[in-house]
mmCIF file with all atom_site columns, all heavy atoms in Angstrom:
data_model
loop_
_atom_site.group_PDB
_atom_site.id
_atom_site.type_symbol
_atom_site.label_atom_id
_atom_site.label_alt_id
_atom_site.label_comp_id
_atom_site.label_asym_id
_atom_site.label_entity_id
_atom_site.label_seq_id
_atom_site.pdbx_PDB_ins_code
_atom_site.Cartn_x
_atom_site.Cartn_y
_atom_site.Cartn_z
_atom_site.occupancy
_atom_site.B_iso_or_equiv
_atom_site.pdbx_formal_charge
_atom_site.auth_seq_id
_atom_site.auth_comp_id
_atom_site.auth_asym_id
_atom_site.auth_atom_id
_atom_site.pdbx_PDB_model_num
ATOM 1   N N   . HIS A 1 6  ? -73.404 90.411 -40.615 1.00 0.00 ? 6  HIS A N   1
ATOM 2   C CA  . HIS A 1 6  ? -72.358 89.489 -40.370 1.00 0.00 ? 6  HIS A CA  1
ATOM 3   C C   . HIS A 1 6  ? -72.576 88.181 -41.008 1.00 0.00 ? 6  HIS A C   1
ATOM 4   O O   . HIS A 1 6  ? -73.807 87.750 -41.093 1.00 0.00 ? 6  HIS A O   1
ATOM 5   C CB  . HIS A 1 6  ? -72.236 89.279 -38.804 1.00 0.00 ? 6  HIS A CB  1
ATOM 6   C CG  . HIS A 1 6  ? -72.127 90.605 -38.145 1.00 0.00 ? 6  HIS A CG  1
ATOM 7   N ND1 . HIS A 1 6  ? -70.944 91.283 -38.070 1.00 0.00 ? 6  HIS A ND1 1
ATOM 8   C CD2 . HIS A 1 6  ? -73.069 91.368 -37.391 1.00 0.00 ? 6  HIS A CD2 1
ATOM 9   C CE1 . HIS A 1 6  ? -71.105 92.375 -37.372 1.00 0.00 ? 6  HIS A CE1 1
ATOM 10  N NE2 . HIS A 1 6  ? -72.405 92.502 -36.924 1.00 0.00 ? 6  HIS A NE2 1
ATOM 11  N N   . LEU A 1 7  ? -71.621 87.488 -41.481 1.00 0.00 ? 7  LEU A N   1
ATOM 12  C CA  . LEU A 1 7  ? -71.779 86.273 -42.152 1.00 0.00 ? 7  LEU A CA  1
ATOM 13  C C   . LEU A 1 7  ? -70.688 85.191 -41.739 1.00 0.00 ? 7  LEU A C   1
ATOM 14  O O   . LEU A 1 7  ? -69.615 85.550 -41.772 1.00 0.00 ? 7  LEU A O   1
ATOM 15  C CB  . LEU A 1 7  ? -71.762 86.513 -43.710 1.00 0.00 ? 7  LEU A CB  1
ATOM 16  C CG  . LEU A 1 7  ? -71.662 85.225 -44.574 1.00 0.00 ? 7  LEU A CG  1
ATOM 17  C CD1 . LEU A 1 7  ? -72.939 84.479 -44.609 1.00 0.00 ? 7  LEU A CD1 1
ATOM 18  C CD2 . LEU A 1 7  ? -71.284 85.658 -46.030 1.00 0.00 ? 7  LEU A CD2 1
ATOM 19  N N   . TYR A 1 8  ? -71.146 84.061 -41.345 1.00 0.00 ? 8  TYR A N   1
ATOM 20  C CA  . TYR A 1 8  ? -70.203 82.923 -41.091 1.00 0.00 ? 8  TYR A CA  1
ATOM 21  C C   . TYR A 1 8  ? -70.227 81.950 -42.170 1.00 0.00 ? 8  TYR A C   1
ATOM 22  O O   . TYR A 1 8  ? -71.376 81.607 -42.758 1.00 0.00 ? 8  TYR A O   1
ATOM 23  C CB  . TYR A 1 8  ? -70.628 82.234 -39.768 1.00 0.00 ? 8  TYR A CB  1
ATOM 24  C CG  . TYR A 1 8  ? -69.751 81.091 -39.387 1.00 0.00 ? 8  TYR A CG  1
ATOM 25  C CD1 . TYR A 1 8  ? -68.451 81.276 -38.952 1.00 0.00 ? 8  TYR A CD1 1
ATOM 26  C CD2 . TYR A 1 8  ? -70.196 79.758 -39.704 1.00 0.00 ? 8  TYR A CD2 1
ATOM 27  C CE1 . TYR A 1 8  ? -67.646 80.168 -38.621 1.00 0.00 ? 8  TYR A CE1 1
ATOM 28  C CE2 . TYR A 1 8  ? -69.319 78.687 -39.415 1.00 0.00 ? 8  TYR A CE2 1
ATOM 29  C CZ  . TYR A 1 8  ? -68.037 78.942 -38.935 1.00 0.00 ? 8  TYR A CZ  1
ATOM 30  O OH  . TYR A 1 8  ? -67.262 77.814 -38.679 1.00 0.00 ? 8  TYR A OH  1
ATOM 31  N N   . ILE A 1 9  ? -69.089 81.514 -42.692 1.00 0.00 ? 9  ILE A N   1
ATOM 32  C CA  . ILE A 1 9  ? -69.085 80.448 -43.723 1.00 0.00 ? 9  ILE A CA  1
ATOM 33  C C   . ILE A 1 9  ? -68.222 79.338 -43.174 1.00 0.00 ? 9  ILE A C   1
ATOM 34  O O   . ILE A 1 9  ? -67.087 79.440 -42.846 1.00 0.00 ? 9  ILE A O   1
ATOM 35  C CB  . ILE A 1 9  ? -68.440 81.029 -44.982 1.00 0.00 ? 9  ILE A CB  1
ATOM 36  C CG1 . ILE A 1 9  ? -69.399 82.087 -45.517 1.00 0.00 ? 9  ILE A CG1 1
ATOM 37  C CG2 . ILE A 1 9  ? -68.111 79.980 -45.968 1.00 0.00 ? 9  ILE A CG2 1
ATOM 38  C CD1 . ILE A 1 9  ? -68.746 82.982 -46.588 1.00 0.00 ? 9  ILE A CD1 1
ATOM 39  N N   . HIS A 1 10 ? -68.828 78.147 -43.186 1.00 0.00 ? 10 HIS A N   1
ATOM 40  C CA  . HIS A 1 10 ? -68.255 77.033 -42.600 1.00 0.00 ? 10 HIS A CA  1
ATOM 41  C C   . HIS A 1 10 ? -67.551 76.215 -43.707 1.00 0.00 ? 10 HIS A C   1
ATOM 42  O O   . HIS A 1 10 ? -68.133 75.837 -44.705 1.00 0.00 ? 10 HIS A O   1
ATOM 43  C CB  . HIS A 1 10 ? -69.253 76.084 -41.898 1.00 0.00 ? 10 HIS A CB  1
ATOM 44  C CG  . HIS A 1 10 ? -68.609 75.092 -41.013 1.00 0.00 ? 10 HIS A CG  1
ATOM 45  N ND1 . HIS A 1 10 ? -67.718 75.429 -39.929 1.00 0.00 ? 10 HIS A ND1 1
ATOM 46  C CD2 . HIS A 1 10 ? -68.625 73.706 -41.074 1.00 0.00 ? 10 HIS A CD2 1
ATOM 47  C CE1 . HIS A 1 10 ? -67.298 74.254 -39.437 1.00 0.00 ? 10 HIS A CE1 1
ATOM 48  N NE2 . HIS A 1 10 ? -67.865 73.184 -40.080 1.00 0.00 ? 10 HIS A NE2 1
ATOM 49  N N   . ILE A 1 11 ? -66.260 75.863 -43.442 1.00 0.00 ? 11 ILE A N   1
ATOM 50  C CA  . ILE A 1 11 ? -65.527 75.039 -44.515 1.00 0.00 ? 11 ILE A CA  1
ATOM 51  C C   . ILE A 1 11 ? -65.218 73.680 -43.806 1.00 0.00 ? 11 ILE A C   1
ATOM 52  O O   . ILE A 1 11 ? -64.148 73.540 -43.072 1.00 0.00 ? 11 ILE A O   1
ATOM 53  C CB  . ILE A 1 11 ? -64.199 75.775 -44.955 1.00 0.00 ? 11 ILE A CB  1
ATOM 54  C CG1 . ILE A 1 11 ? -64.547 77.197 -45.420 1.00 0.00 ? 11 ILE A CG1 1
ATOM 55  C CG2 . ILE A 1 11 ? -63.488 74.958 -45.942 1.00 0.00 ? 11 ILE A CG2 1
ATOM 56  C CD1 . ILE A 1 11 ? -65.405 77.246 -46.637 1.00 0.00 ? 11 ILE A CD1 1
ATOM 57  N N   . PRO A 1 12 ? -65.988 72.641 -44.051 1.00 0.00 ? 12 PRO A N   1
ATOM 58  C CA  . PRO A 1 12 ? -65.885 71.440 -43.247 1.00 0.00 ? 12 PRO A CA  1
ATOM 59  C C   . PRO A 1 12 ? -64.877 70.387 -43.823 1.00 0.00 ? 12 PRO A C   1
ATOM 60  O O   . PRO A 1 12 ? -65.225 69.231 -43.944 1.00 0.00 ? 12 PRO A O   1
ATOM 61  C CB  . PRO A 1 12 ? -67.268 70.895 -43.214 1.00 0.00 ? 12 PRO A CB  1
ATOM 62  C CG  . PRO A 1 12 ? -67.760 71.297 -44.631 1.00 0.00 ? 12 PRO A CG  1
ATOM 63  C CD  . PRO A 1 12 ? -67.085 72.604 -44.946 1.00 0.00 ? 12 PRO A CD  1
ATOM 64  N N   . PHE A 1 13 ? -63.707 70.860 -44.216 1.00 0.00 ? 13 PHE A N   1
ATOM 65  C CA  . PHE A 1 13 ? -62.661 69.878 -44.684 1.00 0.00 ? 13 PHE A CA  1
ATOM 66  C C   . PHE A 1 13 ? -61.405 69.991 -43.889 1.00 0.00 ? 13 PHE A C   1
ATOM 67  O O   . PHE A 1 13 ? -61.025 71.115 -43.487 1.00 0.00 ? 13 PHE A O   1
ATOM 68  C CB  . PHE A 1 13 ? -62.294 70.267 -46.198 1.00 0.00 ? 13 PHE A CB  1
ATOM 69  C CG  . PHE A 1 13 ? -63.527 70.206 -47.102 1.00 0.00 ? 13 PHE A CG  1
ATOM 70  C CD1 . PHE A 1 13 ? -64.281 71.348 -47.334 1.00 0.00 ? 13 PHE A CD1 1
ATOM 71  C CD2 . PHE A 1 13 ? -63.939 68.967 -47.623 1.00 0.00 ? 13 PHE A CD2 1
ATOM 72  C CE1 . PHE A 1 13 ? -65.389 71.251 -48.176 1.00 0.00 ? 13 PHE A CE1 1
ATOM 73  C CE2 . PHE A 1 13 ? -65.022 68.868 -48.431 1.00 0.00 ? 13 PHE A CE2 1
ATOM 74  C CZ  . PHE A 1 13 ? -65.756 70.087 -48.857 1.00 0.00 ? 13 PHE A CZ  1
ATOM 75  N N   . CYS A 1 14 ? -60.742 68.862 -43.674 1.00 0.00 ? 14 CYS A N   1
ATOM 76  C CA  . CYS A 1 14 ? -59.518 68.829 -42.994 1.00 0.00 ? 14 CYS A CA  1
ATOM 77  C C   . CYS A 1 14 ? -58.620 67.726 -43.654 1.00 0.00 ? 14 CYS A C   1
ATOM 78  O O   . CYS A 1 14 ? -59.177 66.741 -44.129 1.00 0.00 ? 14 CYS A O   1
ATOM 79  C CB  . CYS A 1 14 ? -59.654 68.468 -41.512 1.00 0.00 ? 14 CYS A CB  1
ATOM 80  S SG  . CYS A 1 14 ? -60.259 69.905 -40.494 1.00 0.00 ? 14 CYS A SG  1
ATOM 81  N N   . HIS A 1 15 ? -57.405 67.866 -43.672 1.00 0.00 ? 15 HIS A N   1
ATOM 82  C CA  . HIS A 1 15 ? -56.537 66.771 -44.189 1.00 0.00 ? 15 HIS A CA  1
ATOM 83  C C   . HIS A 1 15 ? -56.501 65.698 -43.122 1.00 0.00 ? 15 HIS A C   1
ATOM 84  O O   . HIS A 1 15 ? -56.403 64.510 -43.481 1.00 0.00 ? 15 HIS A O   1
ATOM 85  C CB  . HIS A 1 15 ? -55.024 67.311 -44.434 1.00 0.00 ? 15 HIS A CB  1
ATOM 86  C CG  . HIS A 1 15 ? -54.821 67.996 -45.717 1.00 0.00 ? 15 HIS A CG  1
ATOM 87  N ND1 . HIS A 1 15 ? -55.530 67.601 -46.874 1.00 0.00 ? 15 HIS A ND1 1
ATOM 88  C CD2 . HIS A 1 15 ? -54.060 69.043 -46.090 1.00 0.00 ? 15 HIS A CD2 1
ATOM 89  C CE1 . HIS A 1 15 ? -55.103 68.344 -47.851 1.00 0.00 ? 15 HIS A CE1 1
ATOM 90  N NE2 . HIS A 1 15 ? -54.214 69.250 -47.400 1.00 0.00 ? 15 HIS A NE2 1
ATOM 91  N N   . HIS A 1 16 ? -56.641 66.169 -41.926 1.00 0.00 ? 16 HIS A N   1
ATOM 92  C CA  . HIS A 1 16 ? -56.503 65.208 -40.751 1.00 0.00 ? 16 HIS A CA  1
ATOM 93  C C   . HIS A 1 16 ? -57.291 65.739 -39.613 1.00 0.00 ? 16 HIS A C   1
ATOM 94  O O   . HIS A 1 16 ? -57.347 66.957 -39.419 1.00 0.00 ? 16 HIS A O   1
ATOM 95  C CB  . HIS A 1 16 ? -55.005 65.083 -40.481 1.00 0.00 ? 16 HIS A CB  1
ATOM 96  C CG  . HIS A 1 16 ? -54.747 64.222 -39.309 1.00 0.00 ? 16 HIS A CG  1
ATOM 97  N ND1 . HIS A 1 16 ? -54.487 62.880 -39.379 1.00 0.00 ? 16 HIS A ND1 1
ATOM 98  C CD2 . HIS A 1 16 ? -54.660 64.443 -37.932 1.00 0.00 ? 16 HIS A CD2 1
ATOM 99  C CE1 . HIS A 1 16 ? -54.260 62.333 -38.278 1.00 0.00 ? 16 HIS A CE1 1
ATOM 100 N NE2 . HIS A 1 16 ? -54.379 63.248 -37.383 1.00 0.00 ? 16 HIS A NE2 1
ATOM 101 N N   . ARG A 1 17 ? -57.923 64.840 -38.885 1.00 0.00 ? 17 ARG A N   1
ATOM 102 C CA  . ARG A 1 17 ? -58.748 65.299 -37.831 1.00 0.00 ? 17 ARG A CA  1
ATOM 103 C C   . ARG A 1 17 ? -57.922 65.306 -36.525 1.00 0.00 ? 17 ARG A C   1
ATOM 104 O O   . ARG A 1 17 ? -57.246 64.398 -36.132 1.00 0.00 ? 17 ARG A O   1
ATOM 105 C CB  . ARG A 1 17 ? -59.825 64.308 -37.543 1.00 0.00 ? 17 ARG A CB  1
ATOM 106 C CG  . ARG A 1 17 ? -61.160 64.915 -37.599 1.00 0.00 ? 17 ARG A CG  1
ATOM 107 C CD  . ARG A 1 17 ? -62.250 63.978 -37.116 1.00 0.00 ? 17 ARG A CD  1
ATOM 108 N NE  . ARG A 1 17 ? -63.088 64.739 -36.185 1.00 0.00 ? 17 ARG A NE  1
ATOM 109 C CZ  . ARG A 1 17 ? -64.141 65.479 -36.621 1.00 0.00 ? 17 ARG A CZ  1
ATOM 110 N NH1 . ARG A 1 17 ? -64.651 65.343 -37.842 1.00 0.00 ? 17 ARG A NH1 1
ATOM 111 N NH2 . ARG A 1 17 ? -64.862 66.222 -35.719 1.00 0.00 ? 17 ARG A NH2 1
ATOM 112 N N   . CYS A 1 18 ? -57.925 66.458 -35.764 1.00 0.00 ? 18 CYS A N   1
ATOM 113 C CA  . CYS A 1 18 ? -57.177 66.542 -34.499 1.00 0.00 ? 18 CYS A CA  1
ATOM 114 C C   . CYS A 1 18 ? -58.055 65.767 -33.568 1.00 0.00 ? 18 CYS A C   1
ATOM 115 O O   . CYS A 1 18 ? -59.199 65.717 -33.601 1.00 0.00 ? 18 CYS A O   1
ATOM 116 C CB  . CYS A 1 18 ? -57.069 67.953 -34.027 1.00 0.00 ? 18 CYS A CB  1
ATOM 117 S SG  . CYS A 1 18 ? -56.287 69.008 -35.277 1.00 0.00 ? 18 CYS A SG  1
ATOM 118 N N   . CYS A 1 19 ? -57.328 65.133 -32.533 1.00 0.00 ? 19 CYS A N   1
ATOM 119 C CA  . CYS A 1 19 ? -58.007 64.149 -31.747 1.00 0.00 ? 19 CYS A CA  1
ATOM 120 C C   . CYS A 1 19 ? -58.970 64.773 -30.653 1.00 0.00 ? 19 CYS A C   1
ATOM 121 O O   . CYS A 1 19 ? -59.758 64.138 -30.073 1.00 0.00 ? 19 CYS A O   1
ATOM 122 C CB  . CYS A 1 19 ? -57.138 63.121 -31.080 1.00 0.00 ? 19 CYS A CB  1
ATOM 123 S SG  . CYS A 1 19 ? -56.061 63.841 -29.843 1.00 0.00 ? 19 CYS A SG  1
#
Side-chain angles (χ1 to χ4, degrees):
Chain A
H6 309 282
L7 170 66
Y8 176 77
I9 293 168
H10 193 63
I11 307 296
F13 299 96
C14 284
H15 276 326
H16 178 89
R17 238 194 132 94
C18 305
C19 69

